[in-house]
Amino acid sequence: MTLMTPAPLDQEDEEMLVPHSDLVEGPQPMEVVAQADASSAVENQPVEDPQTSRFTWTIENFSRLNTKKHYSEIFVVGGFKWRVLIFPKGNNVDHLSMYLDVADSATLPYGWSRYAQFSLSVVNQIHNKYSIRKDTQHQFNARESDWGFTSFMPLSDLYDPGRGYLVNDTCIIEAEVAVRKILDYWTYDSKKETGFVGLKNQGATCYMNSLLQTLYHIPYFRKAVYHMPTTENDMPSGSIPLALQSLFYKLQYNDNSVATKELTKSFGWDTYDSFMQHDVQELNRVLCEKLEDKMKGTVVEGTIQQLFEGHHMNYIECINVDYKSTRKESFYDLQLDVKGCRDVYASFDKYVEVERLEGDNRYQAENHGLQDAKKGVLFIDFPPVLQLQLKRFEYDFMRDTMVKINDRYEFPLQLDLDRENGKYLSPDADRSVRNLYTLHSVLVHSGGVHGGHYYAFIRPTLSDQWFKFDDERVTKEDTRRALEEQYGGEEELPQTNPGFNNTPFKFTKYSNAYMLVYIRESDKEKIICNVDEKDIAEHLRIRLKKEQEEKEDKRKYKAQAHLFTIIKVARDEDLAEQIGKDIYFDLVDHDKVRSFRIQKQWPFTLFKEEVAKEFGIPVQYQRFWIWAKRQNHTYRPNRPLTPQEEAQSVGQLREVSTKVNNADLKLFLEVELGPDLRPIPPPEKTKEDILLFFKLYDPEKEELRYVGRLFVKSSGKPIEILTKLNEMAGFAPDEEIELYEEIKFEPCVMCEHLAKRTSFRFSQIEDGDIICFQKSAPPESEEQCRYSDVTSFLEYVQNRQVVHFRALERPKEDDFCLELSKLHNYDDVVERVARRLGLDDPSKIRLTSHNCYSQQPKPQPIKYRGVEHLSDMLVHYNQSSDILYYEVLDIPLPELQGLKNLKVAFHHATKDDVIIHNIRLPKQSTVGDVINELKTKVELSHPNAELRLLEVFYHKIYKIFPPSEKIENINDQYWTLRAEEIPEEEKNLGPHDRLIHVYHFTKETVQNQMQVQNFGEPFFLIIHEGETLAEVKERIQKKLQVPDEEFSKWKFAFLSLGRPEYLQDSDIVSSRFQRRDVYGAWEQYLGLEHSDTAPKRAYAANQCSKTDGTQSLGSETFLHLPSNRLLKRE
C-alpha cells in the first residue's frame, strides 16, 4: 500500500455514478439517476482544504480471481477507514465495476455521514497516459456506504494483454480520496472559511452580484472607486460613487454578506421590474459610463478607459484598385460568438474573418464606383482587463424567439492574442506589447432563456485557488470546477443496462460561462495591487463605522428585547395634533406617540418617575388608562389602572393588559389642569363617571379637530353639557349644536345622531366613547356645503380615493389625478373623467383596470356599467390599486360593445405590400360581411375579384372561413386573419386537380431530435393529375419570383405528420395527396426547404395590441413585406 500526495482531479465524469448492488439484474432502478443528482447537489459544499491521500492497490494473479467481489486493504484518509471494492468479472455487466467503500460502515453509530471527492483509476502499465481515471463526489451514509462506477471499463479491454492494463497478470488500481467537512448551509461562515463575504440577492439581482464581485476583485478598479471624491453630505441612494464605495468597503471589512439596495437605488432601479429589464452587459456599461462621467476632473479621471478600453479598426479594402477605408472604434467589452465556435480562439478567428464584397454586394468606393473588396476588423490594441461577453443568448428567427446556446465552448487559463504572428492585430498595433492574458473570472449562467441563476468563479490574486461567489455564499473551488465544468455542451449518462447495447442518453448542461475576464500578464502587478484603509476617504470610514455601530446597537437591542417592554403613552396633546390631520377615526396613531423602553422587572412607580422627567408632570398628578380593542374593531381608553396594578412590575402589568406576547403596553395619560393651567390631582372616579372625548366638525371648512375630554355622569343628559361644549369650541354659550356618536368605521362608517334629552346610560355611552358635534345648520346652508354633517364627512373621508388616470396607449405615464369616492358608481366615474378631458359624451370613455402584479393594464377593458362601484374597478384579486387606464372612443361604448373589431392582413395579388385593416362590424355579422367591407377598403387586381378569409397560425393555414360563419367568436389575438384574392385557376378545378397546402420549412436539431420549423407565408397551390415535381417547381418559382441561383438550392418534400419525404423531379406529386380538396394544416403538405431570408413579419407582432374602438380605428397599417412572393430578395 502506498500513500502519497495526489495529482489534481482533472478528468470529466464519463458515466452514471451508482452504489453497487449484488442484485443488479436487468435495468437499474430510476432512483439511481436521482442519486447521481443528489451527489451533485452537495455541489460546492466542501469549504475547507481537504485531507487527501492516494492509495495504490497492486493485484497479482488478477485473471485467477474467482470471487464475485474483491476488497482492497483498508486505508485511512481524514480519520476515516476506506477500501476499494471491485467486481473483477463485472457487477452483472460486461465491464469492470469499481467502488469506494466505507470499510467500517457496519460498526459506525446511527446517523453517520461523511463526504468525499474521489477518483478511481486503472493504471496503464505500458503508456501511463492511457490510464483510465474517473472521479466523482458523494456523501456516504448507512444506506449508501459505497459509491462508484458499475461500468468502469470494458472487460475486453482490461483482459487484453496488449492494451497494457494487465501486465504479468497484475492489475494496478489507484484511488485518490479527499475527505471534506460537510457544510451546513445555515451555519456556514463565508468569511471564516474563505476570507470573503457574499452579496445579498434582492430578487432577480444575482446577475448583478456576480458582476459586482468581479469588479471588486480587480483591486486597481476598487482603489479608483475609493479615490473618487464624495462628501459626508452625499447620500448613497442618490450617489453611485458613494454607494459603490460603501459596498466595496463592506465587502472588504464586513463579516457577513452585504446588501446592494443603496447601489441599485442610485441607478434609479427601485422596483423588481427594473432588474428584469437589464442584463449583465447592460449593467456593466451603465455602471462604467456613470463612473467614467463621475471621474472626470478628479484624480482618477480616465481609470475606466485605462483598465477596460481597447480599440479595433474596421476596414474595407478594394481588391482591384488602390483604395482602403478604415474607421477606428473603441470597446469596453467584446461580444464573441459561441454558436459554431469550439473555443475562444475560434471566436476571435471569426471576429476578424474577412468578408468578400462582390457581385451584387460590391462596395461603392469613392471615385472608383462599385468594386470587389475585402471587409473586416483587426485590433489596434487590447485593454489590460479584457472583458469577453459570450453570446449565449441569441434571437432565433425561425422560432421568432430568444434561445440560449448551451453548446460546448472552451476557454483557456492563458489566452495568447499574439498567436500566429499577431493574426488579430492591425498594421498599426504596437507589437512591443505582449498580449498574453490570464483568466481572472468566469461568470456563469445556470438555466434557460426565461430564467436561471448567475454566479461567478474568481481567483482574486490569480493564484491556483478559485472561489465561487454565489450571492451570500462564498466557497473554495478547484480549477476544474471553474473551467471545464463551465464549458457547457452535453453530458452522457451511461447505459442503465450496458449488456443490451442501447444508445447512451445525453443531456444538455445548462450551466455554462457567459462572461470571461482576463488580465494581461504584463499589467497584473499594477492591477492586482494592495488596497487598504488609507485608500478610503476619512468621511467614508467614519460614516461606515458609524453604520456598523448602529447596526451592532440594533443587534444588541433585538437580543435584549425579551428583557424590556415598550410602553406607548398617548396624551391630549397627541390627540389634538393628529385628529383631522393624520387620522380622522378613533383617537390616536400609537406609532406616533412617545414610547418608553422599560425593563420588565422595574416597578411601575419607577416608570411614572421617567414620565415625570419626560413630560414635567409630577407623579401624583398622573393617572393612566389602559386601551382596549372593542368588538367593533375600534380602540379606546377602557379604564384607569388600579392602585394594585400600579404596585406591580412593568412586565406583570403588560401581561394583564395584552395577551399577545410581543405587544407593546399602550396607555393614555390623563392630566387635569387647574384654572392656572397647572396640573392638579385627578378627580376621584366612580362607576357613575364616564370619560368622553370630543371632536368638532366645521362643514364650511370641511375640518375635524379634537377639542378635549370631559367626565359626565351616566345618569346625566347631553343637554346639560352643551354650554361647556360651546366653550370648548369657542362658540357663544347659547349656540345651537348637534351631537353625534362616532361608533365605528370598519367595514363602513357608523356615526349616529345623539339625542340631547336622553341620558347617557340610555344611549349606551361608556368610558372612551367619542362624541362629534357641530353647529346646527339652517336647511339653506346644507346645499352650500358638500358634506353638511359630520356623518357624511366621515363617509367621504373613509371612501375618498385619489385615482391616477393613464392613457391606455401610454400605460407608464400618469395623465391626471382625480379625487373620487370608492362608492362612486360607473356613471359617476366616467362623468368625472369626461369632464376632466372636456368631453361632452361620457359614454365615449372606456376604462381598463390595472394588474397589480404585472404593473400593466388588464387585457380586457371594463364593460359599460359592468361594475357597481369605483372600488370594484380598483381591486385585483386581493390587492387594491389606484390606477385606471382610459381611452376616448369614436363611438359610444354601449354601441361599440355590440360591434366586433377584427384586424385583417390583406395580401395583394400582384404587389408586395401587406396592409392591416381594422374591420368593425356588428357581432352578428358574417365573414361575408367582412369581405364586403374589406372590398371597399382595398385595391383589387380587377373589379370582379373574389376574396377569402384565412386563419394562419405559426406559418400554417388552419382554416378557410365560410362566408356564412358568424364573426363573434373569431379570435384575432393569437391567429393571423389573412385576406387574399381567390386565383382564377382555383375557381375552375378540374375533376382530377388537387388544391394542396405549400409551406416553407427548415430543419433543426432540438435536444438531439430533428424538428421541422415552418416559417414564411403559407399558400395554396393547384396540382394537376400526372404533373411531375419539375413542372410544379416551375410554377412555384414563377409564383414566388425566386432567382434561379437561389431556387436551385431549395429542396422539396412531401410532409405528413411533420416527417419529410424528399421528392425527385420525376415524382408525380398528385399521387402523394389524398383525394380531398383542402387538407388540414396538421396533415399533408408540400414543403419547401430552404433558409429564411425574408425580413421579419412585423404585423404578426402587432396582433396583440388593443386598439379596437379608439379614435385611431379605421386607419391602415402599411407594411412593405413580401406576401405571395414572400421569399423574393428585396
Side-chain angles (χ1 to χ4, degrees):
M1 178 174 87
T2 312
L3 288 171
M4 61 180 75
T5 306
L9 309 178
D10 60 357
Q11 286 189 359
E12 285 203 15
D13 296 347
E14 293 175 9
E15 61 175 277
M16 177 98 71
L17 311 170
V18 295
H20 94 267
S21 166
D22 294 332
L23 303 170
V24 177
E25 304 257 350
Q28 293 170 346
M30 281 301 293
E31 68 176 10
V32 166
V33 179
Q35 289 162 351
D37 288 342
S39 75
S40 63
V42 188
E43 174 200 26
N44 310 327
Q45 293 210 353
V47 294
E48 61 174 21
D49 291 331
Q51 300 174 64
T52 307
S53 291
R54 177 188 290 173
F55 166 66
T56 302
W57 181 20
T58 302
I59 309 171
E60 298 177 346
N61 302 316
F62 188 85
S63 60
R64 297 182 197 173
L65 294 174
N66 56 11
T67 56
K68 185 175 182 181
K69 313 193 253 192
H70 189 52
Y71 287 98
S72 72
E73 302 170 51
I74 293 173
F75 59 98
V76 177
V77 182
F80 300 128
K81 295 179 180 178
W82 307 91
R83 58 185 176 177
V84 176
L85 162 64
I86 64 168
F87 288 67
K89 301 295 189 289
N91 184 4
N92 295 307
V93 293
D94 56 359
H95 283 60
L96 173 70
S97 303
M98 182 153 55
Y99 310 91
L100 180 66
D101 177 63
V102 177
D104 53 349
S105 60
T107 61
L108 290 173
Y110 176 79
W112 68 271
S113 177
R114 66 185 61 163
Y115 173 79
Q117 284 184 318
F118 63 93
S119 71
L120 298 172
S121 307
V122 174
V123 176
N124 190 298
Q125 298 169 56
I126 298 174
H127 297 290
N128 190 58
K129 67 178 181 178
Y130 294 127
S131 296
I132 296 175
R133 169 197 179 107
K134 297 184 180 181
D135 55 289
T136 184
Q137 56 189 7
H138 185 58
Q139 189 165 331
F140 293 84
N141 53 49
R143 192 169 62 86
E144 294 173 355
S145 61
D146 54 53
W147 193 261
F149 307 89
T150 299
S151 301
F152 185 84
M153 65 179 293
L155 293 175
S156 55
D157 291 351
L158 176 64
Y159 284 95
D160 182 345
R163 293 294 186 101
Y165 300 108
L166 268 185
V167 175
N168 299 325
D169 206 17
T170 298
C171 180
I172 300 174
I173 289 173
E174 289 183 348
E176 293 175 6
V177 182
V179 176
R180 299 193 178 189
K181 183 196 295 182
I182 299 168
L183 168 63
D184 179 347
Y185 187 90
W186 302 108
T187 61
Y188 180 68
D189 185 333
S190 292
K191 183 82 169 196
K192 180 181 172 187
E193 301 293 348
T194 66
F196 301 107
V197 297
L199 290 168
K200 291 175 181 171
N201 190 332
Q202 278 178 246
T205 61
C206 46
Y207 73 89
M208 179 180 72
N209 291 350
S210 57
L211 177 67
L212 290 173
Q213 287 283 16
T214 302
L215 293 173
Y216 168 80
H217 287 289
I218 300 173
Y220 191 88
F221 178 84
R222 192 191 331 158
K223 189 186 281 265
V225 167
Y226 283 152
H227 282 270
M228 291 177 71
T230 53
T231 71
E232 57 267 26
N233 298 323
D234 291 345
M235 290 304 296
S237 58
S239 162
I240 290 178
L242 182 58
L244 202 57
Q245 288 174 347
S246 172
L247 184 81
F248 281 4
Y249 181 91
K250 290 170 184 173
L251 282 174
Q252 192 161 348
Y253 294 106
N254 270 24
D255 291 329
N256 301 305
S257 57
V258 180
T260 58
K261 279 187 179 174
E262 283 181 344
L263 182 64
T264 54
K265 277 186 181 175
S266 72
F267 296 159
W269 298 0
D270 50 8
T271 64
Y272 181 83
D273 191 43
S274 303
F275 302 116
M276 301 306 288
Q277 292 171 6
H278 300 86
D279 57 25
V280 162
Q281 187 176 20
E282 187 180 3
L283 171 65
N284 198 10
R285 287 182 178 172
V286 166
L287 191 57
C288 286
E289 282 171 13
K290 288 185 182 290
L291 288 176
E292 190 178 334
D293 186 54
K294 299 287 185 186
M295 287 177 175
K296 284 177 182 170
T298 73
V299 292
V300 288
E301 181 173 0
T303 300
I304 300 295
Q305 294 96 316
Q306 290 166 23
L307 278 178
F308 303 116
E309 187 178 50
H311 299 89
H312 49 52
M313 177 187 76
N314 293 292
Y315 67 87
I316 298 178
E317 186 174 2
C318 293
I319 295 170
N320 301 317
V321 297
D322 185 17
Y323 181 84
K324 185 175 184 179
S325 168
T326 62
R327 186 177 75 255
K328 180 180 178 180
E329 289 184 354
S330 65
F331 63 86
Y332 282 173
D333 54 38
L334 293 174
Q335 290 198 58
L336 299 184
D337 283 330
V338 170
K339 196 162 187 66
C341 300
R342 72 176 298 274
D343 59 14
V344 171
Y345 289 122
S347 296
F348 269 99
D349 291 345
K350 191 172 179 181
Y351 204 98
V352 301
E353 204 169 52
V354 177
E355 179 187 352
R356 294 186 75 87
L357 306 178
E358 51 195 12
D360 292 342
N361 199 27
R362 285 181 297 170
Y363 174 61
Q364 181 72 45
E366 193 176 334
N367 301 328
H368 296 283
L370 291 172
Q371 292 289 330
D372 291 345
K374 296 183 295 182
K375 178 183 176 184
V377 177
L378 287 170
F379 291 91
I380 298 169
D381 55 65
F382 292 105
V385 179
L386 181 62
Q387 300 180 108
L388 303 179
Q389 303 279 350
L390 308 184
K391 289 160 76 172
R392 287 283 182 190
F393 298 96
E394 285 189 358
Y395 189 78
D396 187 320
F397 287 94
M398 300 293 187
R399 287 185 263 175
D400 194 20
T401 186
M402 290 296 292
V403 294
K404 185 180 177 192
I405 310 299
N406 288 301
D407 300 356
R408 182 178 175 84
Y409 182 88
E410 299 177 8
F411 44 91
L413 205 55
Q414 278 212 322
L415 178 68
D416 188 355
L417 294 178
D418 290 333
R419 73 190 198 113
E420 296 183 26
N421 201 27
K423 64 189 285 190
Y424 307 131
L425 300 175
S426 76
D428 301 333
D430 182 356
R431 302 283 174 140
S432 67
V433 176
R434 181 74 175 95
N435 292 303
L436 181 64
Y437 285 85
T438 298
L439 186 61
H440 173 267
S441 317
V442 180
L443 280 72
V444 176
H445 176 261
S446 175
V449 69
H450 297 299
H453 184 54
Y454 296 82
Y455 46 90
F457 291 92
I458 303 172
R459 48 180 189 156
T461 61
L462 300 182
S463 68
D464 289 339
Q465 181 62 65
W466 286 85
F467 297 88
K468 179 180 177 183
F469 292 84
D470 188 352
D471 287 338
E472 291 94 338
R473 191 167 159 215
V474 187
T475 51
K476 289 182 178 179
E477 302 295 344
D478 58 29
T479 302
R480 179 173 172 273
R481 180 62 65 89
L483 268 73
E484 287 93 331
E485 291 194 13
Q486 310 315 322
Y487 288 163
E490 291 184 329
E491 205 158 72
E492 185 177 305
L493 286 177
Q495 305 164 25
T496 52
N497 192 2
F500 284 90
N501 195 29
N502 49 348
T503 307
F505 174 75
K506 291 184 178 179
F507 67 94
T508 302
K509 289 161 67 173
Y510 290 100
S511 293
N512 37 55
Y514 71 97
M515 180 176 167
L516 307 171
V517 178
Y518 282 91
I519 291 178
R520 190 157 50 203
E521 278 284 330
S522 57
D523 293 301
K524 71 179 183 184
E525 296 299 325
K526 170 184 161 188
I527 291 166
I528 309 296
C529 58
N530 186 46
V531 184
D532 53 32
E533 279 221 349
K534 69 176 182 294
D535 291 302
I536 302 164
E538 186 181 6
H539 78 83
L540 184 66
R541 290 203 302 269
I542 293 168
R543 177 200 290 260
L544 295 173
K545 281 178 180 171
K546 187 179 176 185
E547 275 182 25
Q548 286 298 101
E549 288 166 5
E550 287 172 357
K551 195 173 177 183
E552 182 61 21
D553 289 344
K554 279 184 184 175
R555 189 194 63 77
K556 287 179 182 174
Y557 185 92
K558 286 175 82 173
Q560 297 173 358
H562 65 287
L563 302 174
F564 290 82
T565 289
I566 302 296
I567 304 178
K568 295 184 173 180
V569 178
R571 302 181 297 144
D572 278 320
E573 289 85 346
D574 297 308
L575 277 59
E577 188 176 316
Q578 293 186 24
I579 292 171
K581 301 182 186 72
D582 300 333
I583 63 168
Y584 290 87
F585 303 97
D586 268 353
L587 292 170
V588 75
D589 178 350
H590 290 276
D591 290 334
K592 295 180 179 177
V593 304
R594 176 71 173 86
S595 59
F596 298 81
R597 188 170 186 250
I598 305 295
Q599 289 190 36
K600 287 181 178 178
Q601 71 266 30
W602 268 29
F604 189 77
T605 50
L606 275 180
F607 161 68
K608 292 180 75 171
E609 290 176 13
E610 289 294 309
V611 171
K613 289 179 198 170
E614 179 70 22
F615 297 133
I617 309 294
V619 169
Q620 65 271 26
Y621 302 145
Q622 301 172 14
R623 179 156 66 191
F624 288 95
W625 291 65
I626 284 182
W627 293 76
K629 188 170 188 178
R630 298 180 175 180
Q631 286 186 332
N632 63 11
H633 304 294
T634 58
Y635 209 58
R636 308 285 175 81
N638 184 45
R639 62 175 179 82
L641 291 178
T642 65
Q644 293 83 357
E645 286 172 334
E646 290 201 7
Q648 293 179 331
S649 70
V650 167
Q652 289 170 318
L653 185 58
R654 191 198 67 82
E655 287 167 14
V656 169
S657 71
T658 175
K659 300 291 184 280
V660 183
N661 286 333
N662 60 351
D664 302 328
L665 175 57
K666 298 182 179 72
L667 300 173
F668 175 72
L669 173 58
E670 177 201 342
V671 178
E672 297 298 331
L673 300 177
D676 58 357
L677 300 182
R678 292 175 180 273
I680 59 173
E684 186 179 345
K685 183 185 183 307
T686 67
K687 288 186 178 180
E688 177 73 5
D689 296 313
I690 303 172
L691 178 64
L692 299 181
F693 295 84
F694 294 90
K695 299 177 183 178
L696 173 66
Y697 174 57
D698 183 338
E700 292 180 7
K701 295 181 179 177
E702 294 181 6
E703 285 181 358
L704 185 73
R705 63 187 177 92
Y706 175 71
V707 291
R709 54 183 167 74
L710 289 175
F711 279 103
V712 299
K713 299 294 182 182
S714 63
S715 58
K717 298 173 184 177
I719 196 168
E720 297 165 3
I721 61 169
L722 295 184
T723 304
K724 181 63 178 173
L725 293 181
N726 279 330
E727 181 189 335
M728 291 165 68
F731 297 160
D734 57 350
E735 181 73 54
E736 284 289 318
I737 56 175
E738 299 298 322
L739 278 62
Y740 300 82
E741 183 194 358
E742 180 190 316
I743 300 171
K744 65 172 186 173
F745 56 93
E746 291 290 354
C748 58
V749 172
M750 186 181 287
C751 185
E752 296 182 347
H753 200 276
L754 187 66
K756 298 176 187 174
R757 298 182 182 279
T758 304
S759 72
F760 290 110
R761 182 183 293 118
F762 189 83
S763 296
Q764 297 184 330
I765 300 298
E766 58 186 34
D767 279 323
D769 279 349
I770 300 170
I771 307 298
C772 301
F773 67 99
Q774 66 181 85
K775 286 182 181 180
S776 299
E780 61 272 13
S781 70
E782 289 189 13
E783 297 175 7
Q784 298 170 4
C785 301
R786 286 201 306 168
Y787 309 106
S788 59
D789 59 44
V790 70
T791 303
S792 59
F793 175 73
L794 289 175
E795 283 176 347
Y796 152 71
V797 169
Q798 178 71 343
N799 294 295
R800 67 181 168 184
Q801 173 73 57
V802 174
V803 180
H804 300 257
F805 285 91
R806 300 175 177 180
L808 189 65
E809 63 268 22
R810 298 187 302 277
K812 293 290 184 188
E813 306 167 22
D814 284 358
D815 260 19
F816 56 88
C817 297
L818 293 177
E819 187 182 277
L820 305 172
S821 168
K822 293 175 188 172
L823 301 179
H824 275 161
N825 62 26
Y826 177 90
D827 288 349
D828 294 331
V829 176
V830 294
E831 190 276 326
R832 288 289 304 278
V833 174
R835 194 192 317 161
R836 174 65 175 76
L837 295 172
L839 195 68
D840 294 333
D841 187 355
S843 69
K844 289 186 178 179
I845 297 293
R846 179 164 66 176
L847 301 174
T848 299
S849 295
H850 179 70
N851 184 320
C852 300
Y853 299 104
S854 69
Q855 298 295 310
Q856 295 287 334
K858 288 187 181 179
Q860 297 302 323
I862 298 168
K863 291 186 175 177
Y864 180 72
R865 293 180 178 168
V867 294
E868 198 165 340
H869 294 115
L870 173 65
S871 55
D872 302 316
M873 298 180 187
L874 298 177
V875 73
H876 178 65
Y877 294 112
N878 60 343
Q879 291 201 24
S880 187
S881 161
D882 62 355
I883 297 169
L884 284 176
Y885 304 88
Y886 72 91
E887 302 164 87
V888 179
L889 310 177
D890 58 347
I891 60 173
L893 181 55
E895 186 181 331
L896 178 67
Q897 286 181 184
L899 301 177
K900 173 78 172 180
N901 192 79
L902 294 175
K903 288 184 289 293
V904 180
F906 177 68
H907 291 236
H908 197 278
T910 57
K911 297 181 181 178
D912 284 348
D913 290 341
V914 174
I915 305 171
I916 295 180
H917 292 274
N918 285 289
I919 306 295
R920 193 166 63 192
L921 292 170
K923 289 182 178 176
Q924 298 309 308
S925 303
T926 63
V927 169
D929 298 324
V930 173
I931 288 171
N932 291 335
E933 176 73 11
L934 199 58
K935 282 181 178 179
T936 67
K937 294 172 175 279
V938 302
E939 179 190 346
L940 301 174
S941 61
H942 60 91
N944 298 322
E946 293 180 34
L947 300 182
R948 64 184 168 202
L949 191 65
L950 311 175
E951 180 183 88
V952 178
F953 186 60
Y954 275 100
H955 317 288
K956 295 181 179 181
I957 298 168
Y958 277 79
K959 183 175 184 177
I960 299 178
F961 289 97
S964 59
E965 182 166 337
K966 292 278 196 297
I967 67 171
E968 186 171 4
N969 296 320
I970 293 178
N971 187 337
D972 65 346
Q973 295 294 308
Y974 307 106
W975 290 267
T976 301
L977 298 181
R978 185 171 104 193
E980 63 186 20
E981 291 186 18
I982 303 174
E984 289 299 319
E985 60 176 357
E986 288 187 26
K987 298 177 186 175
N988 303 302
L989 285 178
H992 301 294
D993 291 340
R994 307 278 181 275
L995 187 65
I996 67 168
H997 291 239
V998 185
Y999 303 154
H1000 305 268
F1001 77 95
T1002 62
K1003 288 189 303 186
E1004 66 175 53
T1005 302
V1006 178
Q1007 293 186 342
N1008 298 317
Q1009 291 188 338
M1010 190 280 289
Q1011 289 187 2
V1012 167
Q1013 296 286 344
N1014 294 102
F1015 65 91
E1017 293 294 344
F1019 59 92
F1020 292 119
L1021 187 73
I1022 292 176
I1023 54 171
H1024 309 295
E1025 186 172 22
E1027 194 174 20
T1028 64
L1029 176 65
E1031 294 167 318
V1032 172
K1033 282 167 63 176
E1034 190 176 333
R1035 289 197 290 121
I1036 289 175
Q1037 183 178 6
K1038 183 179 178 183
K1039 180 182 179 74
L1040 301 182
Q1041 299 182 14
V1042 183
D1044 291 345
E1045 183 183 352
E1046 185 179 338
F1047 196 71
S1048 65
K1049 301 173 187 173
W1050 289 24
K1051 295 179 184 176
F1052 292 74
F1054 168 74
L1055 283 95
S1056 177
L1057 301 174
R1059 288 190 292 272
E1061 180 187 335
Y1062 290 94
L1063 303 176
Q1064 303 301 317
D1065 282 357
S1066 57
D1067 288 344
I1068 305 298
V1069 178
S1070 59
S1071 65
R1072 306 283 172 161
F1073 291 89
Q1074 300 170 19
R1075 289 180 167 275
R1076 260 201 265 179
D1077 288 344
V1078 179
Y1079 295 93
W1082 51 90
E1083 294 180 7
Q1084 299 124 343
Y1085 62 88
L1086 180 63
L1088 316 180
E1089 184 184 359
H1090 59 96
S1091 59
D1092 182 5
T1093 58
K1096 292 304 296 171
R1097 285 138 191 79
Y1099 70 87
N1102 293 340
Q1103 297 230 135
C1104 294
S1105 63
K1106 182 171 67 179
T1107 56
D1108 52 318
T1110 64
Q1111 288 182 330
S1112 63
L1113 285 181
S1115 62
E1116 299 167 345
T1117 307
F1118 287 83
L1119 299 163
H1120 296 278
L1121 302 172
S1123 57
N1124 275 353
R1125 294 170 305 288
L1126 74 165
L1127 293 145
K1128 172 187 171 190
R1129 288 189 184 276
E1130 295 296 313

